[in-house]
Amino acid sequence: MSDEKKRFLLRLDQQLYDQLSQAADQENRSINAHIETILHKATQGDNFEQRQIIGQVINGAQINADNGLVTVTGIYYRYLISDNSPVEPTSRYAVVDAVGNILTLQKI
């Protein structure tokens, strides 16, 4: 793979930019590097969950801590919280990984 990088203009609304900026800060990356990582992961997915589920944002209300399941696009999955914190029903979570029927969620 070539080290040459292409440049292009990407227009984002302020809310999306702020969300990406916050996520990039949490990963100790620049926004550009964070977006590049997201795009790379999106193109490398080899299963339905990797292609369609990664990056989705869900409400904590979609997570059932009692039975250990989360509903994403009408499908039930088992889940892990990235920092092992308890589920907060009023918070929002991003799907950051999918292995089999287990999703890793990160509070945003």
Side-chain angles (χ1 to χ4, degrees), residues 63-69 79 87:
I63 303 170
N64 187 327
D66 294 334
N67 65 14
L69 299 175
Y79 70 89
V87 173

Side-chain angles (χ1 to χ4, degrees), residues 5 20 23-25 27-41:
K5 303 252 182 172
L20 288 168
D25 286 345
E27 299 286 329
N28 288 328
R29 291 189 179 121
S30 68
I31 293 174
N32 187 74
H34 186 64
I35 291 171
E36 188 175 357
T37 300
I38 291 169
L39 292 172
H40 181 74
K41 285 181 182 179

Side-chain angles (χ1 to χ4, degrees), residues 29-61:
R29 291 189 179 121
S30 68
I31 293 174
N32 187 74
H34 186 64
I35 291 171
E36 188 175 357
T37 300
I38 291 169
L39 292 172
H40 181 74
K41 285 181 182 179
T43 60
Q44 299 303 309
D46 59 352
N47 60 41
F48 176 79
E49 284 77 15
Q50 291 291 333
R51 291 188 312 268
Q52 304 295 326
I53 306 296
I54 300 297
Q56 290 224 12
V57 176
I58 59 169
N59 294 318

Side-chain angles (χ1 to χ4, degrees), residues 4-40:
E4 183 178 327
K5 303 252 182 172
K6 294 286 186 181
R7 292 177 183 232
F8 67 96
L9 178 64
L10 177 63
R11 297 180 195 279
L12 304 172
D13 67 44
Q14 189 63 48
Q15 181 181 5
L16 179 56
Y17 180 86
D18 292 344
Q19 290 173 335
L20 288 168
S21 177
Q22 182 180 14
D25 286 345
Q26 290 175 352
E27 299 286 329
N28 288 328
R29 291 189 179 121
S30 68
I31 293 174
N32 187 74
H34 186 64
I35 291 171
E36 188 175 357
T37 300
I38 291 169
L39 292 172
H40 181 74

